Amino acid sequence: MKPVVSAMQAWSCVVISVFAIVILSIIGGLFRNNHHEFLGGAEDPKDGQAVAGTVFTAVIVYAAFLVFCGLQGLLHLRENRRGAIALS
């Protein structure tokens, strides 16, 4: 199987996905617990549970990106170990 994206794009996607999963998980947890910094203001959302569900959906999407990009990066590593010749 050949990689779809370049090695740099794959590993950049892995780093960004890990960062997004960590940050969004923290934000989702704060919304789920109705933290006073995120709820209660004039223009803040009223239902923290609904917002947390949306944020955790984004975490699942980034987890899918992490799996896809990680596999693409591993395909590049496997290809490099075989001694493939790049013609570019």
Side-chain angles (χ1 to χ4, degrees), residues 12 16 42:
S12 297
I16 291 169

Side-chain angles (χ1 to χ4, degrees), residues 11-46:
W11 294 120
S12 297
C13 178
V14 166
V15 171
I16 291 169
S17 295
V18 167
F19 181 74
I21 289 170
V22 169
I23 296 299
L24 288 174
S25 296
I26 292 169
I27 291 172
L30 291 172
F31 272 113
R32 185 183 56 203
N33 293 326
N34 294 323
H35 194 270
H36 66 277
E37 287 293 325
F38 288 95
L39 301 170
E43 295 189 16
D44 291 340
K46 302 295 181 215

